[in-house]
Amino acid sequence: MALPGLRGTEHIGFTVPDLDEAEAFFVDVIGCERVYSLGPFERDDDWMAEHLGVHPRSIMRELRFFRCGHGPNFEIFQWEPADGQAPQPRNSDIGGHHLAFYVDDLDAAVAFLHERGVRVLGEPTASRNASEGQRWVYFLSPWGMQLELVSFPNGKAYEASSSVRLWDPRDPAA
């Protein structure tokens, strides 16, 4: 059984320490477009705890929606949590995550990040096994969020034997 009516990922939401810094990064470096913003949201009842799983007196200062090429939208939040904030999780932590952006030319994109002073972690890596044909590299936002560039202009090895394909930003409607 699948979730009835599932079409795909509509947006990915994440919290940042400074919305203006995050917007500058996602617009000026990544190339996203800001669409709209909402907020602030503050409640005197238990709505925040019941609906969002946060301390009921936490304040969501603002949220902003961005479109970033093909794929899901981004919803970026800035919070004032009433019970403190945990540090940015690493990939190895529960809840650890990263956002991966497909680019046509990985080397040109990495050079662009270096020119913009973005911290790139290591050199591009060639994948093996089912992902052979793909190259990738991690980089960090100004606040330490983990991001990745990926490129596989000629596809990945798994495609030769699999009847199911991963969604591919090179052909978004497929």
Side-chain angles (χ1 to χ4, degrees), residues 112-129:
F112 175 82
L113 292 178
H114 282 300
E115 290 167 8
R116 300 297 284 238
V118 174
R119 182 173 172 211
V120 177
L121 303 179
E123 295 296 324
T125 299
S127 295
R128 296 191 296 191
N129 302 319

Side-chain angles (χ1 to χ4, degrees), residues 51-170:
H51 293 269
L52 300 175
V54 299
H55 189 284
R57 298 302 156 260
S58 292
I59 301 168
M60 184 193 309
R61 279 288 152 215
E62 186 180 351
L63 65 86
R64 297 178 187 172
F65 266 97
F66 296 85
R67 179 171 179 156
C68 302
H70 299 293
N73 304 301
F74 292 158
E75 181 181 21
I76 302 176
F77 302 91
Q78 185 170 339
W79 284 89
E80 286 181 25
D83 55 353
Q85 253 176 349
Q88 179 77 39
R90 301 168 299 170
N91 267 343
S92 58
D93 295 329
I94 293 173
H97 61 277
H98 68 277
L99 300 174
F101 297 98
Y102 184 89
V103 294
D104 293 324
D105 184 333
L106 186 68
D107 297 317
V110 170
F112 175 82
L113 292 178
H114 282 300
E115 290 167 8
R116 300 297 284 238
V118 174
R119 182 173 172 211
V120 177
L121 303 179
E123 295 296 324
T125 299
S127 295
R128 296 191 296 191
N129 302 319
S131 291
E132 189 171 338
Q134 172 183 278
R135 293 174 60 225
W136 59 271
V137 69
Y138 272 65
F139 64 104
L140 300 177
S141 72
W143 58 95
M145 183 175 174
Q146 298 165 103
L147 306 162
E148 179 184 8
L149 297 177
V150 297
S151 189
F152 42 94
N154 298 311
K156 296 181 188 181
Y158 86 91
E159 295 169 347
S161 61
S162 178
S163 61
V164 178
R165 297 276 175 102
L166 294 170
W167 181 80
D168 187 336
R170 297 172 304 159

